[in-house]
Amino acid sequence: MAGTPGREIREKFQAALALSRVELHKNPEKEPYKSKYGARALLEEVRALLGPAPEDDDERAADDGPGDQALGAAEPRDAEGPGEQRALRLAVIEFHLGVNHIDTEELSAGEEHLVRCLSLLRPFRLSLGCVSLYIQAQNNLGILWSEREEIETARSYLESSEALYNQYMKEIGSPPLDPTEHFLPEEEQLTEQERSKRFEKVYTHNLYYLAQVYQHMEMFEKAAHYCHSTLKRQLEHNAYHPMEWAINAATLSQFYINKLCFMEARHCLSAANVIFGQTGKIPATEDTPEAEGDVPELYHQRKGEIARCWIKYCLTLMQNAQLSMQDNIGELDLDKQAELRALRKKELDEEESIRKRAVQFGTGELCDAISAVEEKVRYLRPLDFEEARELFLLGQHYVFEAKEFFQIDGYVTDHIEVVQDHSALFKVLAFFETDMERRCKMHKRRIAMLEPLIVDLNPQYYLLVNRQIQFEIAHTYYDMMDLKVAIADKLRDPDSHIVKKINSLNKSALKYYQLFLDSLRDPNKVFPEHIGEDVLRPAMLAKFRVARLYGRIITADPKKELENLATSLEHYKFIVDYCETHPEAAQEIEVELELSKEMVSLLPTKMERFRTKMALT
């Protein structure tokens, strides 16, 4: 690098950097940006001492627009002359002034400085001394435009940075100078290793921001790819904060879970567990996020969030297995189960080739530690009760872990969601259970955890949550009643106890379905003529099941039975009539609508025969 900055310039620049790194909370409460303003003043003094850049006019300062796509690929050109060196140092100052203004929420001024930085560097952007600064300036403009929700502009800057990095590594490849080196004497220049580390960190940030932009644009495949690449690079370059890395890996697992890529999801979650275990064991650096200081609450919150990701993994894998093996009424299809057993060997044979395609985190001991965690967890769909129970117990372990932080006091919605997931784990485990009495007990456990939730919930503030729980409790009682009826059907002479139990479950299901339906009424207690799209299907299902429940009440009183049949017919008629006037509803409940039409046709005849019989007796 030609020339050495004067001592005054160097000292002011270093002092400005030191002030820039002062955490906001260390400033006076009434002057939160005091250190930032102090840094800005020093940077402006340095800029004045450096003097104007060569040809520093409107033409040179003009911006060619976001990114460099219009300019084509950069041509390697070194900034070797005194004038070029001054322009380069001025660009460093403009960059830091840009970041400073953004930090103090003066975005337009920040943008101006960053654009000026790019303009000064553009002719030399592929050179050893400029490329890192140029990418950092574009990254910051990408973030700025993203915060303004101008996502296409943000994407353009960030993709330009990625392209420049790739071009530089392909054509030059040697570690470029860090921007701070332009204000250091020769003897304090960084080593090649340190330069490489810093440059790779800049590129990792670029990928991280691109992942967020693609996520915002709902380009989920691309976002996941960039997120995975970012996490992988952070481990490779040992440039990560355990808590932040772990939560990002756990979040990425949810993308793979939704894509039913359970091996990749398991790998992300296993890596999250291992890296999270490093929290507090790795010395903090100047880059460590404020929130990652010694904050026990944050630690327990992140632990709970990772646990919730594990719950979703176990639950989705079990539910996917259920969908693959159930018949048209939701029961276990033994033929499908046998077919999946035959496919299991093929899936195991392909495991190694699948692993090669998956992005693996870590090397050496870290890789071994992650493998040790994931090998204890299955990723293939469970095919029987024992395999499902293994996943259930893992999911339940993480339910208890999540509930340690997400308690009902302070985290109402989160706590309820965790309990609902726990209930769902029991529900899907019951699918694999062949013993009907044991299935009933599993559903009873669901009732025991769900009913207390709505006792203290104010329906005015938690209307949607209340509806969800009411509907789920109703359906659980409904399933239990069906199981008890099936058990009774196998007995030659069901005793009064089982009849009483069936009616009790029937009554409880009716109670909660009615509570759900009543929640749809307006303040004058009138049921809506038009049911909202968001509750249309559950409302129609509730009506259908209420109709069915009234038809299944066991009573020895003929008059009461006739009343129950009349009520049942009333609900079936509601479904048929509503679907006639609202065709969109028919698409939501095709099967139930056909059965309702059939019952509307059959029940009047049955009721008439019943009246005739009553008259004769």
Side-chain angles (χ1 to χ4, degrees):
M1 188 178 76
T4 304
R7 178 178 293 180
E8 185 181 2
I9 289 175
R10 186 166 67 247
E11 288 177 353
K12 285 181 183 291
F13 179 74
Q14 294 299 333
L17 290 189
L19 279 171
S20 296
R21 287 194 284 263
V22 173
E23 294 169 11
L24 294 181
H25 66 82
K26 292 181 180 178
N27 287 306
E29 191 173 336
K30 293 182 180 179
E31 298 179 273
Y33 297 131
K34 183 179 180 180
S35 58
K36 299 291 182 187
Y37 293 145
R40 183 186 300 177
L42 288 169
L43 289 168
E44 287 171 346
E45 287 179 29
V46 173
R47 183 172 64 177
L49 288 168
L50 287 170
E55 302 172 25
D56 189 10
D57 54 27
D58 291 341
E59 185 179 342
R60 182 182 177 90
D63 180 31
D64 293 281
D68 290 313
Q69 289 82 346
L71 299 172
E75 292 293 331
R77 178 180 162 189
D78 291 327
E80 293 180 345
E84 286 85 350
Q85 284 295 303
R86 191 162 68 255
L88 207 160
R89 292 183 193 123
L90 278 168
V92 175
I93 300 303
E94 292 292 348
F95 170 78
H96 284 286
L97 282 169
V99 172
N100 181 286
H101 280 83
I102 291 169
D103 287 344
T104 58
E105 300 179 53
E106 300 164 79
L107 300 187
S108 294
E111 180 193 353
E112 287 177 17
H113 285 291
L114 291 172
V115 167
R116 201 172 296 133
C117 169
L118 293 181
S119 182
L120 288 162
L121 294 177
R122 189 162 281 118
F124 326 108
R125 65 188 183 279
L126 198 61
S127 69
L128 192 77
C130 297
V131 66
S132 180
L133 179 60
Y134 199 88
I135 290 174
Q136 288 183 60
Q138 289 205 128
N139 282 352
N140 277 274
L141 281 165
I143 299 164
L144 185 150
W145 284 101
S146 180
E147 288 175 354
R148 289 172 170 170
E149 297 191 1
E150 295 282 349
I151 303 303
E152 279 293 349
T153 306
R155 174 187 178 181
S156 184
Y157 275 117
L158 294 169
E159 287 183 345
S160 175
S161 286
E162 182 187 25
L164 185 60
Y165 169 87
N166 289 328
Q167 186 185 356
Y168 179 86
M169 294 304 289
K170 180 181 178 182
E171 296 180 14
I172 300 173
S174 55
L177 272 68
D178 185 76
T180 58
E181 292 189 84
H182 297 295
F183 291 88
L184 291 176
E186 200 71 41
E187 63 273 13
E188 292 181 26
Q189 298 294 293
L190 302 178
T191 63
E192 292 265 302
Q193 185 178 9
E194 181 61 25
R195 284 177 179 173
S196 177
K197 179 182 174 183
R198 294 191 184 192
F199 187 51
E200 292 303 326
K201 187 175 182 181
V202 168
Y203 179 54
T204 300
H205 284 159
N206 173 239
L207 297 181
Y208 176 74
Y209 303 137
L210 273 170
Q212 292 180 312
V213 163
Y214 291 137
Q215 177 77 17
H216 195 94
M217 297 176 75
E218 298 185 1
M219 300 169 68
F220 300 121
E221 292 275 358
K222 216 165 185 180
H225 168 74
Y226 276 81
C227 181
H228 213 146
S229 297
T230 301
L231 294 169
K232 188 174 170 63
R233 286 176 59 83
Q234 286 174 334
L235 290 183
E236 287 171 356
H237 298 288
N238 198 30
Y240 63 94
H241 312 297
M243 198 186 297
E244 181 185 10
W245 193 98
I247 201 68
N248 286 335
T251 303
L252 178 59
S253 75
Q254 302 305 285
F255 166 79
Y256 289 124
I257 288 169
N258 290 334
K259 297 287 288 183
L260 306 181
C261 298
F262 295 108
M263 176 179 280
E264 290 82 354
R266 178 186 67 168
H267 188 71
C268 288
L269 288 167
S270 300
N273 277 16
V274 171
I275 300 299
F276 190 79
Q278 297 176 356
T279 303
K281 297 174 185 176
I282 293 178
T285 67
E286 63 184 40
D287 291 340
T288 302
E290 272 182 60
E292 280 211 22
D294 297 324
V295 186
E297 183 178 3
L298 183 68
Y299 174 87
H300 292 296
Q301 180 178 342
R302 294 289 183 256
K303 187 179 180 184
E305 287 167 354
I306 293 169
R308 291 182 71 179
C309 292
W310 272 110
I311 295 166
K312 292 297 183 187
Y313 172 84
C314 297
L315 181 56
T316 308
L317 184 49
M318 291 171 71
Q319 288 173 334
N320 182 248
Q322 178 179 349
L323 284 171
S324 302
M325 289 191 289
Q326 68 185 12
D327 57 22
N328 59 356
I329 59 167
E331 293 295 319
L332 179 63
D333 186 317
L334 297 178
D335 291 334
K336 289 182 179 179
Q337 185 183 40
E339 287 173 17
L340 288 172
R341 283 193 190 282
L343 284 172
R344 171 68 64 85
K345 187 177 185 305
K346 185 182 177 185
E347 287 180 306
L348 288 169
D349 290 341
E350 290 178 351
E351 179 175 346
E352 192 166 338
S353 63
I354 294 170
R355 276 186 173 281
K356 287 175 183 174
R357 290 199 299 271
V359 181
Q360 299 293 297
F361 291 128
T363 55
E365 290 183 8
L366 182 57
C367 186
D368 293 341
I370 295 169
S371 295
V373 174
E374 65 182 339
E375 283 169 8
K376 295 176 184 176
V377 182
R378 68 172 56 253
Y379 72 91
L380 296 173
R381 290 172 295 191
L383 300 181
D384 55 35
F385 179 79
E386 287 306 315
E387 291 181 358
R389 183 174 179 272
E390 188 183 309
L391 275 168
F392 167 83
L393 291 173
L394 180 68
Q396 183 168 253
H397 163 79
Y398 284 111
V399 164
F400 296 146
E401 196 165 279
K403 284 167 72 176
E404 285 178 17
F405 180 81
F406 296 109
Q407 298 183 12
I408 193 75
D409 294 331
Y411 294 94
V412 178
T413 306
D414 294 290
H415 178 84
I416 287 171
E417 286 175 1
V418 172
V419 174
Q420 286 178 306
D421 283 343
H422 196 188
S423 168
L425 282 167
F426 268 107
K427 181 180 180 181
V428 72
L429 182 64
F431 168 80
F432 291 91
E433 177 56 74
T434 53
D435 185 300
M436 290 186 182
E437 288 290 356
R438 287 177 64 183
R439 284 174 77 175
C440 274
K441 288 177 181 176
M442 290 177 195
H443 290 309
K444 192 175 180 181
R445 288 286 300 276
R446 294 173 62 205
I447 297 290
M449 65 178 73
L450 291 169
E451 281 192 323
L453 290 178
I454 55 175
V455 173
D456 299 320
L457 278 184
N458 185 329
Q460 183 180 347
Y461 299 110
Y462 296 101
L463 178 62
L464 294 179
V465 173
N466 255 305
R467 283 176 179 170
Q468 285 177 4
I469 299 170
Q470 287 163 353
F471 190 86
E472 188 175 352
I473 293 173
H475 196 41
T476 306
Y477 275 123
Y478 186 89
D479 287 343
M480 288 176 72
M481 184 206 69
D482 270 350
L483 285 166
K484 288 295 182 183
V485 168
I487 291 167
D489 287 344
K490 291 184 177 182
L491 301 174
R492 286 187 178 180
D493 186 21
D495 58 23
S496 59
H497 173 75
I498 196 165
V499 170
K500 188 177 179 182
K501 186 65 179 175
I502 290 168
N503 281 341
S504 173
L505 292 168
N506 191 315
K507 183 179 178 182
S508 296
L510 280 169
K511 170 189 168 184
Y512 281 101
Y513 278 130
Q514 199 56 57
L515 282 171
F516 169 79
L517 290 168
D518 287 345
S519 76
L520 303 177
R521 296 178 183 276
D522 65 19
N524 296 320
K525 307 298 181 186
V526 177
F527 199 78
E529 290 184 13
H530 180 82
I531 302 169
E533 187 181 338
D534 56 329
V535 289
L536 178 57
R537 177 166 169 77
M540 291 290 102
L541 283 176
K543 283 283 188 181
F544 177 78
R545 287 168 183 168
V546 166
R548 188 165 180 260
L549 285 164
Y550 271 106
R552 301 190 72 172
I553 296 172
I554 302 170
T555 177
D557 182 347
K559 186 179 178 183
K560 188 66 180 172
E561 185 161 355
L562 189 59
E563 287 176 6
N564 291 337
L565 289 173
T567 307
S568 180
L569 177 60
E570 181 186 328
H571 283 83
Y572 283 128
K573 277 179 65 64
F574 175 90
I575 294 167
V576 174
D577 293 343
Y578 190 89
C579 289
E580 280 182 5
T581 54
H582 300 82
E584 71 278 4
Q587 298 170 9
E588 293 288 328
I589 51 160
E590 291 180 3
V591 175
E592 291 81 4
L593 177 58
E594 286 306 309
L595 290 170
S596 297
K597 287 178 179 177
E598 190 178 330
M599 296 307 290
V600 167
S601 171
L602 294 174
L603 276 179
T605 306
K606 182 178 180 181
M607 290 166 66
E608 190 56 40
R609 284 202 304 266
F610 210 84
R611 288 191 192 95
T612 303
K613 185 178 177 182
M614 285 172 63
L616 292 172
T617 56

